[in-house]
Amino acid sequence: MAKVKASEGNIRQKNKAVIFDAAKKEFVTYGFKGASIKRIAERANIARANIHYYFEDKTDLYRQLLSNIIEVWNRDYDTLSVDKGPKQALSTYIRAKVMHSKDDPDSSRIFASELIHGAPVLNDYLYGDFKDWLQSQVSVIDTWIEQGLMDKVNSHHLLFLIWSSTQHYADFNVQVVAALNKQTMSDDDFEDVVTFLTQLILKGCGIQ
């Protein structure tokens, strides 16, 4: 029975992942109000009834998609550790954020759109789990400052700077490629972004 349940769980995860990928494209293209379950099903190449098997309605799908995005971010970006030191930890963090803008820009755009519209779905999260997580990251940076490993900077604004500068390449990619006179950004372009932002931020924090 345990093997059967595990198999069912894997199938469920795979099916929801397919739906989430299709929903990202739909929400980015049409926004929440304009998005359609019918088109999401067509994008995922599955029956509409299969979506309703996992999600009550469009709102439930949108809410679960946002939760999934945050879950992935919290897992992949929880890299700030006192033991690693500011140079290694911040460099790793910046690279991860830039590469996420390269590999999964739609997640960043959906999250940004939710916040721009007043965070109607994420409001409780922002004043609950997010504040706790953010405080843990701020505490790490403040410890490095107390240890003399970096200049005294405002830890909150440092994180805001990293978020905005890295996610810019996802949220405003159309503007970026136009400014660079390109159709798309190459892997080398994103490596240049990592190098530039890492040097700028570490130097600005007095990290050798």
Side-chain angles (χ1 to χ4, degrees):
M1 289 295 293
K3 290 184 178 180
V4 172
K5 289 182 178 179
S7 177
E8 291 176 350
N10 290 335
I11 292 174
R12 182 182 182 86
Q13 288 182 349
K14 290 180 180 179
N15 289 343
K16 290 185 72 172
V18 170
I19 295 170
F20 281 150
D21 285 342
K24 285 179 186 179
K25 296 298 183 184
E26 181 71 9
F27 287 126
V28 164
T29 303
Y30 295 100
F32 174 76
K33 289 185 177 181
S36 161
I37 290 291
K38 178 178 180 293
R39 282 196 300 265
I40 292 173
E42 291 171 351
R43 290 176 185 273
N45 195 28
I46 62 175
R48 181 171 178 171
N50 287 354
I51 294 182
H52 289 295
Y53 178 78
Y54 296 106
F55 308 98
E56 294 180 5
D57 50 26
K58 184 173 70 173
T59 300
D60 183 41
L61 170 54
Y62 178 69
R63 183 179 293 109
Q64 289 196 43
L65 174 60
L66 282 171
S67 295
N68 178 258
I69 290 172
I70 292 169
E71 180 182 342
V72 171
W73 287 0
N74 287 346
R75 180 193 68 210
D76 294 348
Y77 300 152
D78 193 15
T79 60
L80 300 189
S81 169
V82 172
D83 296 335
K84 292 181 180 179
K87 181 176 182 178
Q88 179 187 349
L90 290 174
S91 297
T92 300
Y93 188 53
I94 293 166
R95 169 171 286 278
K97 291 284 292 177
V98 171
M99 290 305 156
H100 190 273
S101 287
K102 169 180 174 288
D103 297 330
D104 190 14
D106 288 343
S107 288
S108 181
R109 292 165 187 159
I110 291 170
F111 185 82
S113 178
E114 167 69 10
L115 297 189
I116 289 170
H117 288 88
V121 172
L122 290 181
N123 189 68
D124 289 344
Y125 164 74
L126 292 177
Y127 285 92
D129 292 344
F130 170 73
K131 287 185 66 176
D132 294 337
W133 174 84
L134 177 59
Q135 185 55 48
S136 70
Q137 307 303 292
V138 167
S139 296
V140 170
I141 297 172
D142 287 344
T143 297
W144 290 331
I145 293 172
E146 292 171 1
Q147 293 174 342
L149 298 176
M150 57 186 291
D151 291 347
K152 186 176 182 180
V153 299
N154 185 300
S155 301
H156 284 87
H157 292 309
L158 172 59
L159 290 171
F160 299 159
L161 172 63
I162 294 174
W163 298 344
S164 61
S165 59
T166 55
Q167 289 173 220
H168 179 86
Y169 294 92
D171 302 343
F172 296 94
N173 188 259
V174 172
Q175 182 186 54
V176 171
V177 295
L180 296 177
N181 196 28
K182 294 173 174 283
Q183 295 299 315
T184 60
M185 291 180 65
S186 67
D187 290 346
D188 288 342
D189 288 329
F190 279 100
E191 288 295 337
D192 287 343
V193 173
V194 171
T195 299
F196 172 74
L197 291 180
T198 302
Q199 291 177 343
L200 183 70
I201 292 171
L202 294 188
K203 186 173 183 179
C205 293
I207 300 171
Q208 301 299 319

